[in-house]
Amino acid sequence: MTNSKMSLWSLVSDMPPGRFSDLFEEFPHDLRCFLGDWLEAQPWEFISNISDSFCAVLAARLLSAMVEMLHDLANKNGSPGPILQLTANLENRYRREPLKLVEAVKRILREERAAIQEKFQHVPLFVHRQREELMFEFNLQRLQYRVQEIQALQERLEMNNSNTRVSLQLKMLDPQFPMQEKLHTSSLQNLQTLFLNTISELEEAKKAVLARLMIWKRQQQLAGNGTPFDEDLSPLQKRFERLVDICFQLRLQLVASGAELQSSLQERLDSVANALIKNSFLVDKQPPQVLKTQTKFQATVRFLLGPQLLKHPHTSFMVTADIVTEKQARELATSSSGGVFCESSGEIVNNTAPLETNATSNACCALFKSMLLKKIKRCDRKSTESVTEEKCAVLFSATVCLGPNKINFHLQALSLPIVVIVHGNQDNNAKATILWDNAFAAANRIPFVVAERVSWDDMCETLNQKFMAEVQTTKGLLKEHYFFLAQKIFGDSGASPEEFQKRPVSWSQFNKEILPGRGFTFWQWFEGVLDLTKKYLKEYWSDRLIIGFISKQYVFSCLSTAPVGTFLLRFSDSEIGGISIAYVTCFQDGSTQVENIQPFTAKQLSMRSLADCVLDLLQLQILYPDRPKHEAFKRHCNAEAPRKSNYVPAKLKITVDLPSTFPAQSIQPQVDSMSNPNMNLGMHSDPPYDPSLMITPPRHMSPSGNTVYGSPQLQSEVTYSYSLGNASPLGQMDPYPMPPDVDMSDICMQNENTPMYATDLHMLPNQIVMPEMISPPSDEELALLLHSEQDLNRYSQDPA
């Protein structure tokens, strides 16, 4: 319903006809159907003042346009008779009183909006946008009509002046000739009143266009958090151009009116023009909001009124970029003089660009293609603030000469807040500062003041939008996700979702306070999940294979009564950037238990995909609640054919550690790589599911979440060939050289928080694998060996 191409008619046409049966006595329902979207695209709502001549003129124009449109439809229709009859009835009824037609259409559109609101519980966004556009268009047409009225009245005054001069001459010849002074005085008063009303309407139109510009800027800032944003400035540019054009027309009429009116109205008219000119200079493409020193960046500044005011040929005006602190930005915003900025708080290389108009796009821009922040002067901070909480901005400025009198205008545009960092480890906290500022900044604020506390609902909306934008998915967070996130950020597992909705969340809770029992803040943990998901888990999340943001208690409630082998995927709440698998296992005595596999991080998922990991683990059979894992993950498994190489192929495989005290029959048998053709594709075909085989370590999880993790291992299924002619059992054997693209330091990690990986050597027919240990021969055996090659095999492991 947010599509700008939608209309009320497209929504109400599906409703039962009886819903609006009492609305079409004065305006037939068939006409509503014929006119469709066109009817609601006209400013009926704003035609209200019967005494205003403009409203009467506009109503007559709309009636004429409606009749013309219906005639066109009749000509295109194979049976034009019914349409022409309706058109004739419409003309006969409203030709003399077009304002009554306006009232009839307004009632229909009002009831349609009410029906849509009742159906969807709110008025669609496109309705609000369309209404705002129609209101501006109506006000603009009224201003143009006022200018024509002023011009007509000016002409009558000039005619009256001529008549007055003639009558004065006749009066001198004939004292009895009547004078026209009263008529002249009355016309002059009417002209002054008309000027005052028109300038007042112009000031209101200026406020409307500046408000629309402020909305655009706010949407641009929210886009920094991932909110969809229509960045096209062409509609706004047209509004600025049309208002400035009316300003110039009024100024000409004011000058023509004489000195009697100029002194009282000129200042107000100049104020409107100056505000439009200065506000039309803005940052079109923002610089990065997290800006690292010694790194190149780009930005674009646009002058909306440039194509209209800087006519070719003109002097090439230069725009300059300077870095300013929050204090300097505040001083510039609150300064009434609008003085020229003269002190930069850093050094930007390549900080000038010409202001040029593109003939194709009709956009006047300055493009900064390769700026670089060489250094920054830090300002004084509060004792509790870190360097990543310090905000600054880029100030773009230019001086242009406008008009035949070459009047100088100093133009300034401030970028969105920027956090300057000098090292990559500051990036995470800098992003938190920008995310908070973008989400919760108020319109027209003092730079860069932002609320310290916000509602939890607003925070949820921000996190959801950021998640969808970063992961590039249309599947957002769900209610149960928000509940878990609230428990985490507030450190409270006892409150209800309704209670969390009433709580405000502070900046400190978001990214200053360390979470209980952890070594990181809420944002650091959440951003770790974002990074992991967008790099390795996007498709799984979009297919809803990952439940994600849930607590261990929620996992237990889901799996405690589920069949053996049922599993689900959740983001680790104890590790940054980890995803864990919880599953139901069965012990030899028939009891079941929920186990949590140690989280997989980006390091493991970069070596083996999540789908392949899930398919590797034979303990996992059913994705919660009831989806077979092969059906759920088959399209995500690694199906790439092996690349040609001089090396013997090796493949990584995930297993879960089992204690050595378990009987051999309790461990799942592995599938022979030669008997399973899918092994070459990184896929595994699990044997038929048998609960008796789902034996795992007796490590228990209680509802409180105390879990001992099973440790996944990454195994390498490798085939190595040796030649006896190149190896002697008497001397020291050189280790078999590993392929250069296999780094064993990355594979064999011995850390309690990281899965351990092992390497298994699997034999193929007619291949000999050297033993792990060879006993040294005695002196007697050595003598025999030197004279006989027959007994060499005594000291090699029998492959059988």
Side-chain angles (χ1 to χ4, degrees):
M1 290 200 323
T2 59
N3 190 339
S4 61
K5 295 182 180 179
M6 292 185 68
S7 63
L8 279 176
W9 178 243
S10 65
L11 296 176
V12 301
S13 57
D14 294 333
M15 294 184 178
R19 175 67 176 79
F20 308 103
S21 58
D22 58 338
L23 286 176
F24 297 100
E25 295 178 1
E26 299 178 351
F27 190 87
H29 182 264
D30 288 343
L31 281 180
R32 177 65 181 105
C33 296
F34 288 138
L35 296 172
D37 298 347
W38 178 87
L39 203 66
E40 63 198 71
Q42 311 306 319
W44 309 96
E45 180 183 353
F46 308 104
I47 305 173
S48 55
N49 192 345
I50 299 177
S51 61
D52 188 347
S53 59
F54 170 69
C55 289
V57 169
L58 184 57
R61 287 178 184 172
L62 287 173
L63 174 59
S64 298
M66 187 182 295
V67 169
E68 183 178 351
M69 185 175 183
L70 289 171
H71 279 295
D72 289 342
L73 287 173
N75 293 334
K76 297 175 183 177
N77 195 293
S79 302
I83 300 178
L84 293 176
Q85 183 61 49
L86 286 170
T87 306
N89 294 339
L90 183 72
E91 282 190 284
N92 292 334
R93 184 165 192 167
Y94 295 115
R95 185 189 301 115
R96 295 187 178 182
E97 296 179 295
L99 286 172
K100 286 189 176 181
L101 170 65
V102 172
E103 292 301 317
V105 175
K106 283 167 68 173
R107 278 195 297 271
I108 293 172
L109 297 178
R110 192 183 304 121
E111 286 298 318
E112 288 180 349
R113 281 195 294 269
I116 295 300
Q117 184 170 8
E118 180 182 337
K119 180 177 180 180
F120 297 103
Q121 302 302 312
H122 71 282
V123 177
L125 181 59
F126 77 84
V127 175
H128 293 292
R129 289 177 175 172
Q130 186 182 55
R131 184 181 185 277
E132 189 269 339
E133 291 170 0
L134 288 174
M135 182 173 65
F136 182 83
E137 187 64 29
F138 173 82
N139 291 335
L140 194 67
Q141 290 183 22
R142 187 172 58 183
L143 280 169
Q144 292 168 337
Y145 181 81
R146 296 284 186 257
V147 171
Q148 293 173 2
E149 282 188 310
I150 289 173
Q151 186 175 359
L153 191 53
Q154 290 269 40
E155 291 173 355
R156 287 200 298 270
L157 273 172
E158 291 178 4
M159 188 177 296
N160 289 339
N161 287 337
S162 300
N163 292 338
T164 301
R165 286 194 295 270
V166 171
S167 62
L168 184 59
Q169 294 174 356
L170 293 175
K171 182 73 172 177
M172 293 175 65
L173 297 175
D174 183 4
Q176 302 297 322
F177 190 84
M179 293 293 294
Q180 311 239 344
E181 294 179 1
K182 291 184 180 180
L183 180 61
H184 174 75
T185 302
S186 176
S187 298
L188 192 60
Q189 290 175 346
N190 290 340
L191 180 62
Q192 185 172 14
T193 301
L194 190 55
F195 260 118
L196 287 169
N197 292 339
T198 304
I199 292 178
S200 296
E201 291 175 4
L202 179 62
E203 289 170 337
E204 291 301 314
K206 178 207 71 174
K207 291 180 182 178
V209 77
L210 294 185
R212 186 66 190 85
L213 176 63
M214 190 58 62
I215 291 172
W216 185 91
K217 288 182 176 181
R218 180 66 185 131
Q219 290 173 335
Q220 185 189 48
Q221 185 172 20
L222 289 173
N225 288 353
T227 303
F229 171 51
D230 181 8
E231 57 186 345
D232 183 15
L233 279 166
S234 299
L236 262 175
Q237 178 170 315
K238 290 178 182 177
R239 291 192 183 191
F240 272 87
E241 289 174 343
R242 293 170 74 179
L243 282 184
V244 165
D245 186 58
I246 288 175
C247 276
F248 292 158
Q249 291 182 45
L250 282 173
R251 182 163 186 159
L252 291 175
Q253 297 295 333
L254 192 59
V255 171
S257 67
E260 303 171 70
L261 298 178
Q262 286 187 45
S263 57
S264 59
L265 299 177
Q266 187 69 53
E267 186 177 346
R268 290 175 62 184
L269 199 56
D270 288 346
S271 176
V272 172
N274 291 343
L276 291 172
I277 292 171
K278 291 186 176 182
N279 281 280
S280 70
F281 187 72
L282 50 87
V283 183
D284 186 4
K285 308 293 182 185
Q286 293 284 341
Q289 289 190 267
V290 176
L291 183 58
K292 188 178 179 182
T293 55
Q294 305 301 326
T295 303
K296 289 186 178 181
F297 65 99
Q298 299 180 343
T300 303
V301 180
R302 184 164 173 174
F303 186 28
L304 298 180
L305 290 173
Q308 184 179 19
L309 301 183
L310 304 179
K311 300 294 185 181
H312 289 288
H314 65 76
T315 305
S316 180
F317 301 108
M318 300 299 293
V319 182
T320 304
D322 294 289
I323 195 80
V324 296
T325 64
E326 181 174 339
K327 180 182 177 182
Q328 290 172 319
R330 188 177 298 119
E331 290 172 351
L332 287 168
T334 55
S335 173
S336 58
S337 61
V340 178
F341 175 77
C342 58
E343 182 184 358
S344 179
S345 292
E347 182 180 348
I348 299 179
V349 180
N350 300 324
N351 69 328
T352 58
L355 194 60
E356 298 173 327
T357 300
N358 185 302
T360 304
S361 63
N362 196 37
C364 182
C365 298
L367 279 66
F368 295 84
K369 297 181 180 179
S370 58
M371 287 190 290
L372 182 142
L373 181 59
K374 191 172 182 180
K375 60 182 180 180
I376 180 73
K377 297 177 185 177
R378 299 291 186 184
C379 63
D380 296 332
R381 298 184 302 275
K382 298 177 183 177
S383 58
T384 58
E385 287 183 341
S386 67
V387 68
T388 55
E389 295 177 80
E390 179 183 336
K391 290 175 279 191
C392 58
V394 176
L395 177 69
F396 299 93
S397 55
T399 300
V400 297
C401 298
L402 303 179
N405 297 328
K406 301 295 181 181
I407 301 174
N408 285 336
F409 278 85
H410 185 66
L411 308 176
Q412 292 181 335
L414 200 64
S415 77
L416 291 174
I418 290 172
V419 174
V420 176
I421 63 174
V422 296
H423 195 279
N425 61 12
Q426 298 173 318
D427 185 72
N428 181 281
N429 292 328
K431 286 180 179 177
T433 300
I434 293 302
L435 180 77
W436 186 279
D437 191 274
N438 286 346
F440 309 121
N444 281 327
R445 63 171 175 173
I446 298 174
F448 295 108
V449 177
V450 65
E452 190 69 23
R453 291 179 177 272
V454 298
S455 72
W456 175 242
D457 280 348
D458 289 344
M459 174 57 72
C460 288
E461 183 180 347
T462 298
L463 294 176
N464 181 51
Q465 191 59 62
K466 183 67 174 177
F467 188 91
M468 289 196 297
E470 286 289 323
V471 179
Q472 295 184 347
T473 179
T474 58
K475 301 298 175 64
L477 305 183
L478 306 175
K479 289 183 179 179
E480 54 265 32
H481 298 151
Y482 294 137
F483 184 42
F484 168 69
L485 294 174
Q487 290 176 321
K488 196 168 188 67
I489 199 169
F490 292 116
D492 184 356
S493 59
S496 66
E498 293 74 23
E499 290 174 318
F500 284 132
Q501 286 182 341
K502 300 175 183 177
R503 293 188 187 181
V505 59
S506 68
W507 160 249
S508 183
Q509 289 171 316
F510 180 67
N511 194 47
K512 287 183 74 72
E513 299 173 5
I514 301 298
L515 293 173
R518 306 288 182 244
F520 43 79
T521 66
F522 174 85
W523 165 252
Q524 289 169 347
W525 169 81
F526 187 84
E527 206 267 341
V529 172
L530 275 183
D531 189 64
L532 181 75
T533 307
K534 72 180 180 182
K535 289 181 179 177
Y536 301 105
L537 306 176
K538 173 184 174 180
E539 300 299 329
Y540 306 98
W541 174 271
S542 297
D543 288 350
R544 291 301 190 196
L545 302 179
I546 299 173
I547 295 184
F549 298 102
I550 54 172
S551 64
K552 291 180 181 178
Q553 290 86 348
Y554 188 90
V555 170
F556 187 85
S557 66
C558 291
L559 297 182
S560 58
T561 58
V564 174
T566 305
F567 68 99
L568 56 77
L569 302 164
R570 58 178 288 270
F571 297 125
S572 171
D573 64 347
S574 60
E575 209 170 309
I576 293 180
I579 184 167
S580 181
I581 303 176
Y583 68 100
V584 182
T585 186
C586 178
F587 298 120
Q588 286 180 324
D589 61 1
S591 63
T592 61
Q593 181 62 48
V594 177
E595 292 283 2
N596 285 269
I597 298 176
Q598 184 173 326
F600 297 95
T601 62
K603 194 171 187 67
Q604 289 87 56
L605 295 179
S606 66
M607 292 186 284
R608 190 148 178 80
S609 72
L610 180 64
D612 289 332
C613 292
V614 168
L615 295 175
D616 284 344
L617 299 175
L618 306 183
Q619 294 89 344
L620 312 180
Q621 295 294 324
I622 304 168
L623 180 65
Y624 179 84
D626 56 5
R627 191 174 178 187
K629 73 172 183 181
H630 284 283
E631 174 191 311
F633 289 90
K634 63 183 178 182
R635 85 176 188 90
H636 300 288
C637 63
N638 180 14
E640 294 183 1
R643 294 176 296 178
K644 292 183 179 180
S645 172
N646 295 328
Y647 296 107
V648 176
K651 184 171 69 66
L652 302 175
K653 180 179 178 180
I654 293 292
T655 63
V656 176
D657 269 348
L658 297 176
S660 59
T661 56
F662 265 54
Q665 63 268 25
S666 69
I667 304 176
Q668 277 286 4
Q670 295 192 11
V671 181
D672 190 282
S673 62
M674 290 299 294
S675 64
N676 185 359
N678 287 336
M679 286 300 185
N680 292 330
L681 300 177
M683 299 170 58
H684 304 280
S685 296
D686 291 353
Y689 171 62
D690 183 356
S692 65
L693 297 177
M694 297 294 103
I695 305 301
T696 56
R699 298 168 178 168
H700 303 283
M701 187 192 83
S702 64
S704 62
N706 298 322
T707 305
V708 179
Y709 289 105
S711 177
Q713 290 187 347
L714 200 55
Q715 295 185 339
S716 178
E717 297 184 356
V718 192
T719 301
Y720 296 146
S721 297
Y722 290 86
S723 171
L724 289 177
N726 295 330
S728 170
L730 304 180
Q732 183 178 1
M733 294 198 317
D734 292 331
Y736 185 82
M738 291 294 294
D741 56 343
V742 178
D743 186 353
M744 292 304 293
S745 64
D746 286 342
I747 297 178
C748 301
M749 296 179 290
Q750 303 293 328
N751 186 296
E752 61 179 2
N753 293 324
T754 311
M756 297 174 58
Y757 305 106
T759 303
D760 291 345
L761 300 182
H762 293 265
M763 289 179 45
L764 293 179
N766 301 322
Q767 291 181 332
I768 299 176
V769 179
M770 296 305 296
E772 296 182 2
M773 295 183 63
I774 300 177
S775 302
S778 64
D779 293 340
E780 292 80 8
E781 289 173 327
L782 178 58
L784 289 173
L785 289 172
L786 291 175
H787 294 86
S788 173
E789 296 180 355
Q790 299 292 328
D791 295 330
L792 282 176
N793 287 333
R794 288 177 54 199
Y795 300 96
S796 65
Q797 186 175 356
D798 186 353

